[in-house]
């Protein structure tokens, strides 16, 4: 009952202080990447998971692979000796605000191609999880997505697609037809409200979810940040509110949410339970800095759900 995901992971340098980046004295080193964030979230929830991607033959690539292994993710990595691992910088212009810059054009991760994929692992998986970021990074990455989707379909796996539009990487005009084509081939689609509006032209989350479902997927989830989420599956529509938390860093909330949803799907849980666990994972992920560091394990979810007292003794 495993999950396979593929995409680009990047080194992450985060300004240690609020203020203009050129005046910040130091940066904290970590990494991110929507698909590896989901993979770590799943591993913490006890789901066997493989992350596939290309990394540079450099320190950042080694850091990413080590960390994935340390988190219990099985990496399936192609080492690219002619291109570096990508980087992103996160500056903090004001309290609670962050701004990302990418250094990823021509990176190792963006050069992923169908030959890099371990298709036997895709065939053996229960779920293949993809995001629109991979579609944005290159033409060979789009071919890798196609090959993975084709293989997963033939093997009867669930194809899960999170739109994850990144306007720094491509324009909506370029991206939307690609997202629509991927959504039509997916069994399960996740979209933020803005993304769902891009895909459907609808403004209301329920209408957005219905319009995405009309494209083909049997399960659709619209993520609504601090307003929670709405899901459609098995002929049922379910809304969940967000859990009230003091959000410190919302980057990665959507990835933790997806991990929670997929873990419950694999466990055979009905839609309301899938969404509740997902919302708990999303909320918990917001409570500490980092793109994946705060993703919970089962124990943390249980403590969160019956926490009246925030002090643990
Ligand atoms: P994305 O990161 O993909 O943009 P969202 O911001 O919608 O996704 O977050 C995904 C989910 O995480 C939401 O549906 C919600 O359940 C939870 N979440 C996000 N932000 C908050 C928040 N500020 N407080 C509580 N839960 C949140
Ligand atoms: O969802 C969080 C991701 O956006 C982040 O970890 C980095 O994958 C990333 C990207 O391309 O923005």
């Amino acid at each position: 009952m495993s999950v396979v995901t593929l995409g680009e992971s990047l080194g992450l340098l985060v300004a240690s202080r609020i203020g203009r980046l050129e005046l910040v004295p130091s940066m904290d080193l970590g990494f991110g990447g929507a698909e590896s964030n989901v993979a770590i979230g799943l591993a913490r929830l006890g789901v066997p998971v493989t992350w596939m991607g290309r990394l540079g033959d450099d320190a950042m690539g080694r850091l990413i692979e080590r960390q994935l292994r340390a988190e219990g993710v099985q990496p399936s990595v192609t080492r690219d000796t002619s291109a570096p691992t990508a980087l992103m910088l996160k500056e903090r212009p004001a309290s609670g605000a962050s701004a990302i810059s990418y250094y990823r054009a021509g990176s190792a991760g963006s050069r992923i191609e169908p030959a890099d994929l371990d298709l036997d692992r895709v065939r053996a998986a229960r779920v293949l999880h993809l995001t629109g970021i991979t579609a944005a990074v290159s033409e060979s990455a789009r071919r890798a997505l196609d090959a993975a989707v084709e293989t997963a379909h033939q093997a009867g796996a669930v194809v899960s697609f999170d739109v994850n539009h990144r306007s720094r990487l491509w324009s909506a005009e370029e991206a939307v037809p690609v997202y629509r084509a991927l959504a039509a081939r997916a069994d399960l689609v996740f979209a933020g409200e803005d993304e769902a509006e891009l895909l459907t032209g609808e403004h209301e989350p329920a209408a957005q979810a219905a319009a995405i479902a009309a494209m083909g997927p049997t399960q659709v989830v619209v993520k609504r940040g601090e307003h929670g989420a709405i899901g459609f599956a098995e002929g049922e529509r379910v809304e969940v509110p967000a859990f009230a938390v003091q959000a410190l860093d919302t980057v990665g909330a959507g990835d933790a949410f997806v991990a929670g949803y997929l873990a419950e799907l694999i466990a055979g849980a009905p839609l309301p339970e899938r969404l509740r666990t997902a919302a708990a994972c999303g909320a918990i992920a917001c409570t500490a800095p980092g793109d994946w560091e705060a993703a919970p394990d089962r124990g943390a979810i249980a403590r969160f759900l019956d926490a009246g007292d925030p002090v643990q003794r």
Side-chain angles (χ1 to χ4, degrees):
M1 288 299 201
S2 64
V3 176
V4 166
T5 184
L6 62 103
E8 178 166 39
S9 297
L10 313 85
L12 172 58
L13 293 166
V14 185
S16 59
R17 286 194 203 160
I18 292 167
R20 293 165 63 130
L21 192 67
E22 48 274 53
L23 300 177
V24 161
S26 60
M27 308 283 285
D28 295 327
L29 177 63
F31 77 101
E35 302 81 8
S36 54
N37 298 341
V38 170
I40 291 170
L42 283 164
R44 289 190 178 175
L45 296 172
V47 177
V49 55
T50 293
W51 173 85
M52 294 181 194
R54 245 180 203 252
L55 294 169
D57 190 14
D58 48 28
M60 216 49 256
R62 287 188 288 278
L63 179 151
I64 292 170
E65 189 169 350
R66 275 173 77 98
Q67 290 277 41
L68 290 177
R69 285 190 198 285
E71 288 292 334
V73 174
Q74 298 166 42
S76 168
V77 171
T78 303
R79 284 265 164 222
D80 192 324
T81 51
S82 349
T85 305
L87 288 174
M88 56 186 171
L89 303 187
K90 200 189 271 186
E91 54 188 297
R92 297 158 62 199
S95 173
S98 57
I100 302 281
S101 340
Y102 293 125
Y103 295 75
R104 69 194 300 177
S107 64
S110 70
R111 285 155 48 118
I112 189 171
E113 58 181 17
D116 295 328
L117 305 181
D118 179 347
L119 292 178
D120 285 339
R121 283 209 214 180
V122 177
R123 275 183 209 103
R126 170 80 202 287
V127 176
L128 171 71
H129 178 72
L130 310 168
T131 87
I133 301 173
T134 312
V137 294
S138 71
E139 191 272 329
S140 67
R142 287 193 284 282
R143 282 190 283 111
L145 288 180
D146 278 346
V149 170
E150 190 58 38
T151 305
H153 273 316
Q154 279 168 10
V158 173
V159 176
S160 163
F161 170 58
D162 188 345
V163 177
N164 264 348
H165 180 57
R166 296 290 179 267
S167 56
R168 295 271 172 91
L169 298 180
W170 55 350
S171 68
E173 292 69 40
E174 279 177 285
V176 166
V178 178
Y179 296 153
R180 288 209 183 110
L182 281 164
R185 294 169 76 197
D187 304 290
L188 162 58
V189 172
F190 296 95
E193 260 180 298
D194 291 357
E195 295 163 346
E197 187 164 343
L198 265 185
L199 255 69
T200 66
E202 298 285 350
H203 305 300
E204 292 303 317
Q208 293 170 342
I212 295 173
M215 295 175 187
T218 53
Q219 300 182 57
V220 178
V221 179
V222 177
K223 297 178 281 183
R224 308 182 58 214
E226 57 191 345
H227 302 295
I230 175 166
F232 261 118
E234 297 112 33
E236 194 185 4
R237 188 180 108 190
V238 175
E239 289 188 41
V240 282
F243 290 94
V245 289
Q246 202 171 3
L248 275 185
D249 180 359
T250 57
V251 177
D255 302 328
F257 179 100
V258 166
Y261 188 97
L262 294 180
E264 294 293 27
L265 179 70
I266 285 170
L271 180 62
E273 206 174 320
R274 281 177 239 158
L275 289 172
R276 181 173 149 83
T277 300
C281 291
I284 295 167
C286 295
T287 58
D291 290 14
W292 52 267
E293 284 82 342
D297 59 19
R298 288 275 178 193
I301 297 174
R303 288 192 296 280
F304 177 79
L305 290 177
D306 52 47
D309 181 357
V311 180
Q312 288 162 32
R313 291 174 216 276

